[in-house]
Amino acid sequence: MSSTINGPGSGSPQHEAQLLTQVIVDRQKGDRRNWVIMNAALLMYAAGLASSLAQATPLAQEALDSGKAGAFFTALVQGRPPQSKFVVPPAPAVVPA
């Protein structure tokens, strides 16, 4: 069983795409947005773009709130190159104590 934006094993791929579009492009608020932010933060952390989830979460929120994630997503869906690069600033170096 797969986990989706609407919970484990729910919805068709088309339905899930519609829900993601509502969150990413239309900036819908609520639990679904929180789910997208947490997943984006986890991916940023795993990719080494943030040194912690606490650092990655505001980066994910800003990407949604600024409309950059929506513009990037829309360009990809329409099969055209994005107008601007979607860049996450590198994480600061972590110095062990």
Side-chain angles (χ1 to χ4, degrees), residues 53-73:
L53 286 176
Q55 182 188 36
T57 301
L59 297 174
Q61 289 171 328
E62 174 59 25
L64 285 176
D65 292 343
S66 69
K68 290 178 184 177
F72 193 86
F73 178 78

Side-chain angles (χ1 to χ4, degrees), residues 31-92:
D31 291 339
R32 291 181 179 136
R33 179 180 188 272
N34 294 339
W35 184 90
V36 168
I37 289 171
M38 184 51 67
N39 277 274
L42 286 166
L43 289 169
M44 288 177 185
Y45 173 67
L49 299 173
S51 61
S52 68
L53 286 176
Q55 182 188 36
T57 301
L59 297 174
Q61 289 171 328
E62 174 59 25
L64 285 176
D65 292 343
S66 69
K68 290 178 184 177
F72 193 86
F73 178 78
T74 299
L76 292 177
V77 168
Q78 293 174 352
R80 58 182 172 80
Q83 294 295 321
S84 63
K85 293 180 181 174
F86 187 66
V87 178
V88 176

